[in-house]
Amino acid sequence: MRALLEIVLLVLNWYSYLIIAMAILSWLVAFDVINFRNDIVRSIWRFLEAVTEPALRPIRRVLPNLGGIDVSPVILLLIILFVQKLIVEYAYPAVY
């Protein structure tokens, strides 16, 4: 059972890295640092969007419009950190 909890923690950690990468990539595209017409950038964008958008969309639906500022990745990262903390503090010690 501990091995399963370790895998869940590892997946949550990797997913948080993907969310951070998507946020940074969106900033770089928005400020024209990288060109979205580049095939490599577009393929990375599509991959990150396909992975992160299903989790970010419900959060964006609930949040009010903040004038172009997207705080949904921050909220999702806080949720992931909360779940990780619950696993480490409560579920992990209960498993022998």
Side-chain angles (χ1 to χ4, degrees):
M1 188 68 177
R2 281 190 177 215
L4 181 64
L5 290 175
E6 289 289 333
I7 291 172
V8 169
L9 288 172
L10 186 64
V11 168
L12 287 173
N13 198 19
W14 284 350
Y15 196 69
S16 64
Y17 289 136
L18 290 175
I19 293 167
I20 293 169
M22 181 64 184
I24 291 172
L25 186 64
S26 70
W27 292 339
L28 292 175
V29 169
F31 293 123
D32 285 332
V33 175
I34 56 175
N35 192 355
F36 192 69
R37 285 172 265 165
N38 187 343
D39 291 335
I40 295 171
V41 173
R42 199 171 336 129
S43 64
I44 292 171
W45 177 274
R46 286 183 185 153
F47 168 73
L48 289 174
E49 187 176 41
V51 172
T52 60
E53 195 62 31
L56 291 173
R57 191 176 304 123
I59 297 171
R60 287 185 184 133
R61 221 177 305 136
V62 172
L63 288 177
N65 188 4
L66 297 175
I69 298 174
D70 188 16
V71 294
S72 60
V74 175
I75 293 174
L76 184 58
L77 285 173
L78 289 174
I79 292 170
I80 289 173
L81 288 173
F82 179 72
V83 170
Q84 285 176 334
K85 195 70 164 174
L86 284 178
I87 290 172
V88 168
E89 294 292 327
Y90 296 110
Y92 200 73
V95 177
Y96 296 105

